[in-house]
Amino acid sequence: MKTYKQEFINFMIESQVLKFGAFTLKSGRKSPFFMNAGAYLTGSQLRRLGAYYARAINESFGLDFDVLFGPAYKGIPLAVATAMAISELYGKEIRYSANRKEVKDHGETGILLGSKLKDGDKVVIIEDVTTSGQSIAETYPILKSQADINVIGLIVSLNRMEKGSGAALGQTALTEISQKYGFKASAIVTMDEVIKHLYNKPIDGTIYIDDNVNNALIDYYSQYGASERKE
């Protein structure tokens, strides 16, 4: 595993973004872990987060694209922080864009904030985590209605490695999105990488995945894990 991925896992733990315990997800699933990107609160955290996203985007898609699109609401600060990081790290100017929940009818009207989209724009969508693909189902039509753009990829911070909505196929939500929309979907890290990195290894003196947590994860993935997971 690359060093920046290991650093990102530690960063999620230190920022209390990734937690282990007992959580009920929107889907109703009882999960032994939970990720909340809303816990990134400070300027220094957002600066670091943008840099991790920038490295993962460059590794997955390269930098030959025009717009970083962050779906409202959590995607907005992610798009801004990452566009700044790409400029800082690689000297590449990427426009950021996001959608409004309601169309604005005065001042700067329309459904988008940030950059408008133009015909021929190459777009990367940025999100925190995707479990069902519902957000993309809402976002993709918005993008395509604004201009004749080309979505070249989706980047999230964590691939939970769970079965998506097409449970019979046993694929992750990211794989389902890629196959449905025809663009690559990637993550800074996968949950498999998180488990491998944290299992019985202390972070600042604390072990976050001990044998008990690991057994809970094994039980969870035996029920909800995607078939593409590497055991």
Side-chain angles (χ1 to χ4, degrees):
M1 191 191 319
K2 293 187 176 179
T3 300
Y4 85 91
K5 290 175 176 279
Q6 297 178 42
E7 291 174 352
F8 178 66
I9 295 168
N10 293 354
F11 174 58
M12 285 194 291
I13 293 293
E14 293 162 3
S15 303
Q16 299 184 41
V17 166
L18 179 62
K19 296 183 177 183
F20 298 92
F23 306 93
T24 301
L25 306 180
K26 271 186 182 180
S27 62
R29 294 176 182 178
K30 307 293 185 181
S31 173
F33 69 97
F34 182 70
M35 185 205 151
N36 175 26
Y40 295 116
L41 301 174
T42 70
S44 62
Q45 286 176 329
L46 289 171
R47 185 185 181 96
R48 288 181 65 186
L49 180 62
Y52 289 125
Y53 266 110
R55 292 192 64 174
I57 288 171
N58 187 38
E59 186 175 292
S60 296
F61 311 115
L63 297 175
D64 183 20
F65 67 99
D66 308 291
V67 179
L68 199 53
F69 186 88
Y73 290 103
K74 286 184 179 179
I76 298 173
L78 298 181
V80 172
T82 304
M84 293 171 67
I86 290 173
S87 176
E88 238 177 60
L89 293 174
Y90 303 109
K92 171 79 174 182
E93 292 299 339
I94 299 292
R95 290 147 43 215
Y96 100 89
S97 183
N99 64 298
R100 307 176 194 271
K101 288 293 188 179
E102 295 94 17
V103 177
K104 190 177 178 184
D105 60 4
H106 62 280
E108 187 183 2
T109 59
I111 197 169
L112 298 184
L113 56 86
S115 176
K116 302 298 185 185
L117 298 177
K118 302 181 295 187
D119 289 350
D121 275 343
K122 297 176 184 177
V123 178
V124 170
I125 302 170
I126 184 168
E127 290 200 294
D128 56 348
V129 65
T130 296
T131 53
S132 68
Q134 181 59 35
S135 175
I136 296 301
E138 296 170 358
T139 299
Y140 190 76
I142 293 172
L143 289 170
K144 298 298 285 186
S145 70
Q146 297 302 302
D148 184 15
I149 56 95
N150 178 25
V151 178
I152 66 169
L154 164 68
I155 186 74
V156 300
S157 59
L158 177 67
N159 184 347
R160 289 182 59 100
M161 301 302 291
E162 297 173 30
K163 290 181 284 191
S165 56
L169 298 176
Q171 297 172 321
T172 66
L174 289 184
T175 297
E176 290 180 356
I177 287 168
S178 182
Q179 292 182 350
K180 180 176 181 178
Y181 296 100
F183 54 76
K184 185 177 178 181
S186 188
I188 302 176
V189 293
T190 68
M191 199 58 201
D192 289 343
E193 290 173 323
V194 170
I195 295 169
K196 181 178 180 180
H197 179 66
L198 291 179
Y199 182 44
N200 280 335
K201 295 177 184 176
I203 303 295
D204 293 330
T206 300
I207 293 177
Y208 290 87
I209 301 182
D210 57 14
D211 289 339
N212 289 332
V213 174
N214 191 54
N215 287 336
L217 288 163
I218 290 171
D219 290 343
Y220 183 75
Y221 279 112
S222 69
Q223 185 173 3
Y224 299 116
S227 59
E228 60 203 86
R229 287 186 69 225
K230 295 179 181 178
E231 300 296 340

